[in-house]
Amino acid sequence: MRVIPKDKVIFHFNTTNEANYTVSDGEIFWVEVDDCYSGQITDASVKRPDIDISIMDCAVGPINIDGAMPGDTLCVEVLAIDLADHGIMVTNCGLGVLGDRITEPDTKIIPVHDGFAHFSDDIKIPLTPMIGVIGVAPKEGEIHCAVPHDHGANMDTTMVKPGAKVYFPVAKEGAGLAVGDLHACMGDGELSGTGIEIAGKMCLKVKVYRDRPIERPVIETSDGIYFLASRPTLDESIKVAVSDATEFLMRKFNINFPDAYRLMSATCDAQICEVVDDNMTVRVRCPKFDNRVQTL
Amino acid sequence: MRVIPKDKVIFHFNTTNEANYTVSDGEIFWVEVDDCYSGQITDASVKRPDIDISIMDCAVGPINIDGAMPGDTLCVEVLAIDLADHGIMVTNCGLGVLGDRITEPDTKIIPVHDGFAHFSDDIKIPLTPMIGVIGVAPKEGEIHCAVPHDHGANMDTTMVKPGAKVYFPVAKEGAGLAVGDLHACMGDGELSGTGIEIAGKMCLKVKVYRDRPIERPVIETSDGIYFLASRPTLDESIKVAVSDATEFLMRKFNINFPDAYRLMSATCDAQICEVVDDNMTVRVRCPKFDNRVQTL
């Protein structure tokens, strides 16, 4: 199985990046990635203000998928995530929801083994490995990898984990997939501004669909279909994701807007992905409560 | 077992309401409630603008708990919810996240039986019964039952369902518990502005604790402890609930703020309760990942 190494990266998703790799439709492959700091935090003495932020938050790629064309939908199935032997959690003044209560930067190196992140000698956290940055070329312009939007990127979504299928709208021939920013553990919200940031590799399977157009990322798991949106405020993001979920129900059940709106309210959950990036990402979960809502 | 009937209600939680009922510490009892419209929507011809809003969104009570004193914590365990045979879902211009796309009011009567809400002839929704309004007398002032805050009230939280323990800070002798606003089904967010609104009754068990002071509602389930906050914006609510969760971890693990902040970010989830009331309610879930975080 092919292993894509971590040395060729992008800092922006855009319409002009040339592919660094090409895989075939249906291919299964591994991608190696550094942590979000590009490996600059080598020990606890290196604090967040000490590093070169111009080389953090990158993504390995672009990886083109043979035959993917604008208007298609790319499905990226996460098959496995293999983590390095330690992760990093920094604090920094102003970072995260309570960053105003942090008075000095601090770095913690967290050993990862035996299914746990060893936060301290006596605190073990069960691992919840996930991919923070995953996206494709946007329709237009250039967007830094740290910023999530309709093309994906830094969605910091705990659902992007083994077993999930993540769908993206293809805007450019080949799609231009790029990935990075693994987390060993993270709760919904990424509330202190980081998860347990870690290097590692991920095993992905890609598939191109021509019959299920979407405008924004959608995630499918065994128990639901999640409509994602990333906008400057939570309110805006919720409105976009709720609209997508309602239109999905209109289409699947062949019902009018007011009925789909009610059905959505009675069944679907608004959920927080992250609240600490330049856009805030939410998802609306439609549970698989009926045979008609089993797939996108 | 005592059954508290639905005829004595309050429209505001305040410091001066006299108790209509008194139960003992540890007592199990039923409370009957009307739907949130106080039964005014008798059939599909009655639209949302037709009803008297001055008598909607009330709560049955106040129910005093013998011996509860200011500074105590009241635990209300939800043992069972018994639903009426039909619920109501209205649409109205401006109501809910996409209310600007509703052009005329409409009422749908939804039969409820056999474990499902029968949304239409061919759409059945699995029941997810929950209590929308549950609260106690606030520290000061008077707050309409429709508005959630630190005393609880209209938190519209799907976790308030059978199996959950809901904790409140006691601000007044007896606590002044009141409940209402059952939903047969609702997703997180209450996104169209309503769940499937329904009458029915709930079986509750109350217990007073003197050794676990809290400032705001906390919910405990088998899998986690949830810190709730209701403020005018989602951002403000998240900040309050995240602070409560972080302080909980500081206390339980005997660690400093920066470490608790990181541990919170790696393990706790920010979740949406509702985004359609005068205050928006969120919860931060601390999973029971360690022996030290099994109880409040």
Side-chain angles (χ1 to χ4, degrees):
Chain A
M1 201 179 305
R2 176 155 26 167
V3 179
I4 291 176
K6 64 184 177 183
D7 53 319
K8 291 183 182 166
V9 300
I10 57 172
F11 292 92
H12 295 83
F13 287 89
N14 63 31
T15 56
T16 54
N17 283 329
E18 291 295 318
N20 280 317
Y21 308 96
T22 299
V23 297
S24 55
D25 188 1
E27 187 166 340
I28 298 174
F29 54 96
W30 288 88
V31 186
E32 295 178 340
V33 297
D34 236 329
D35 64 47
C36 71
Y37 307 114
S38 300
Q40 296 179 85
I41 299 183
T42 48
D43 61 70
S45 73
V46 183
K47 311 299 184 197
R48 178 69 172 72
D50 302 332
I51 66 174
D52 178 359
I53 62 168
S54 77
I55 60 166
M56 66 177 276
D57 291 325
C58 62
V60 174
I63 303 163
N64 266 4
I65 292 84
D66 208 26
M69 297 298 291
D72 290 346
T73 294
L74 174 65
C75 174
V76 183
E77 185 173 355
V78 183
L79 299 181
I81 295 175
D82 191 26
L83 301 172
D85 63 3
H86 70 280
I88 297 162
M89 270 196 115
V90 303
T91 56
N92 200 17
C93 304
L95 185 64
V97 171
L98 304 181
D100 55 353
R101 287 167 63 180
I102 295 293
T103 54
E104 57 183 351
D106 181 54
T107 293
K108 195 179 191 81
I109 304 295
I110 301 172
V112 168
H113 54 81
D114 303 326
F116 288 90
H118 297 260
F119 187 81
S120 68
D121 284 348
D122 78 335
I123 303 177
K124 296 193 299 183
I125 310 173
L127 295 176
T128 53
M130 53 157 282
I131 302 168
V133 172
I134 183 167
V136 296
K139 268 189 194 166
E140 53 192 21
E142 172 162 284
I143 306 172
H144 195 279
C145 292
V147 181
H149 203 261
D150 291 350
H151 66 300
N154 194 20
M155 301 188 293
D156 281 322
T157 296
T158 56
M159 313 299 308
V160 185
K161 63 183 179 181
K165 293 178 178 175
V166 190
Y167 295 87
F168 298 95
V170 178
K172 184 186 169 189
E173 185 173 345
L177 175 68
V179 293
D181 192 27
L182 287 180
H183 299 139
C185 303
M186 192 191 95
D188 283 331
E190 201 178 27
L191 296 161
S192 79
T194 89
I196 299 182
E197 307 294 330
I198 194 165
K201 59 185 182 178
M202 59 194 86
C203 186
L204 307 176
K205 178 181 181 178
V206 289
K207 187 162 168 49
V208 178
Y209 290 93
R210 304 207 150 77
D211 59 349
R212 48 182 83 175
I214 54 174
E215 295 287 318
R216 273 167 291 281
V218 175
I219 297 176
E220 185 186 336
T221 70
S222 58
D223 77 343
I225 297 174
Y226 298 76
F227 298 87
L228 278 74
S230 304
R231 292 291 183 273
T233 68
L234 284 170
D235 291 346
E236 291 166 273
S237 298
I238 289 170
K239 196 162 180 173
V240 171
V242 163
S243 178
D244 286 350
T246 304
E247 281 161 21
F248 171 76
L249 293 174
M250 286 177 73
R251 181 163 53 84
K252 290 295 190 181
F253 287 103
N254 192 28
I255 54 181
N256 64 21
F257 174 77
D259 262 351
Y261 186 40
R262 282 185 276 223
L263 185 58
M264 182 277 305
S265 188
T267 60
C268 295
D269 297 310
Q271 301 181 341
I272 289 170
C273 298
E274 57 77 21
V275 295
V276 294
D277 298 323
D278 279 349
N279 284 325
M280 297 198 185
T281 305
V282 306
R283 56 183 188 259
V284 171
R285 170 181 182 266
C286 177
K288 294 186 171 179
F289 69 97
D290 186 285
N291 279 335
R292 288 161 285 189
V293 288
Q294 298 300 310
T295 59
L296 181 59
Chain B
M1 200 179 305
R2 177 161 19 173
V3 179
I4 291 178
K6 64 184 179 183
D7 53 319
K8 290 183 183 167
V9 299
I10 58 171
F11 293 93
H12 296 83
F13 287 90
N14 63 31
T15 55
T16 54
N17 283 330
E18 291 295 320
N20 281 316
Y21 308 96
T22 298
V23 298
S24 55
D25 188 1
E27 186 167 341
I28 298 174
F29 55 96
W30 287 88
V31 185
E32 294 177 341
V33 296
D34 236 329
D35 64 48
C36 70
Y37 306 114
S38 300
Q40 295 179 86
I41 300 182
T42 48
D43 60 68
S45 73
V46 184
K47 312 299 184 197
R48 178 69 173 70
D50 302 333
I51 66 174
D52 178 0
I53 62 168
S54 77
I55 58 166
M56 65 176 276
D57 290 325
C58 63
V60 174
I63 303 164
N64 267 3
I65 293 82
D66 209 26
M69 296 299 289
D72 290 347
T73 295
L74 174 65
C75 174
V76 183
E77 186 173 354
V78 183
L79 299 181
I81 295 175
D82 191 27
L83 301 172
D85 63 3
H86 71 279
I88 296 162
M89 269 197 116
V90 303
T91 56
N92 200 16
C93 304
L95 185 63
V97 172
L98 304 180
D100 55 353
R101 287 167 63 180
I102 295 292
T103 54
E104 57 182 351
D106 180 55
T107 293
K108 195 179 193 80
I109 304 294
I110 301 173
V112 168
H113 54 81
D114 302 326
F116 288 90
H118 296 261
F119 187 81
S120 68
D121 284 349
D122 78 334
I123 302 176
K124 297 194 299 185
I125 309 174
L127 296 176
T128 53
M130 51 157 283
I131 302 168
V133 172
I134 182 165
V136 297
K139 267 188 195 166
E140 52 191 23
E142 172 161 284
I143 306 173
H144 196 278
C145 292
V147 180
H149 204 261
D150 290 350
H151 65 301
N154 194 18
M155 300 188 292
D156 281 322
T157 297
T158 55
M159 312 300 308
V160 184
K161 63 184 179 182
K165 293 177 178 175
V166 190
Y167 295 86
F168 298 94
V170 177
K172 184 187 169 189
E173 185 173 345
L177 175 69
V179 293
D181 191 28
L182 286 181
H183 298 141
C185 303
M186 194 191 94
D188 283 331
E190 200 177 30
L191 296 161
S192 79
T194 89
I196 298 182
E197 307 294 330
I198 194 164
K201 59 185 182 179
M202 60 195 86
C203 186
L204 306 177
K205 178 180 181 178
V206 289
K207 186 161 170 51
V208 177
Y209 290 93
R210 304 209 149 77
D211 58 349
R212 48 182 84 175
I214 53 175
E215 294 288 320
R216 275 167 289 282
V218 176
I219 297 177
E220 185 187 337
T221 70
S222 58
D223 77 343
I225 298 174
Y226 298 76
F227 298 86
L228 279 74
S230 303
R231 292 291 182 274
T233 68
L234 284 171
D235 291 345
E236 289 166 276
S237 298
I238 289 170
K239 196 163 180 172
V240 172
V242 163
S243 178
D244 286 349
T246 303
E247 282 161 19
F248 171 75
L249 293 174
M250 287 177 73
R251 182 164 51 85
K252 290 294 190 181
F253 289 102
N254 193 28
I255 54 180
N256 65 20
F257 173 77
D259 264 350
Y261 186 39
R262 283 186 275 223
L263 184 59
M264 181 278 303
S265 188
T267 59
C268 296
D269 297 309
Q271 301 180 341
I272 289 170
C273 297
E274 58 77 20
V275 295
V276 294
D277 297 323
D278 279 349
N279 284 327
M280 297 198 186
T281 306
V282 306
R283 57 184 187 258
V284 170
R285 170 182 181 265
C286 178
K288 294 186 171 179
F289 68 98
D290 187 284
N291 279 335
R292 288 161 283 188
V293 287
Q294 298 299 310
T295 58
L296 181 60

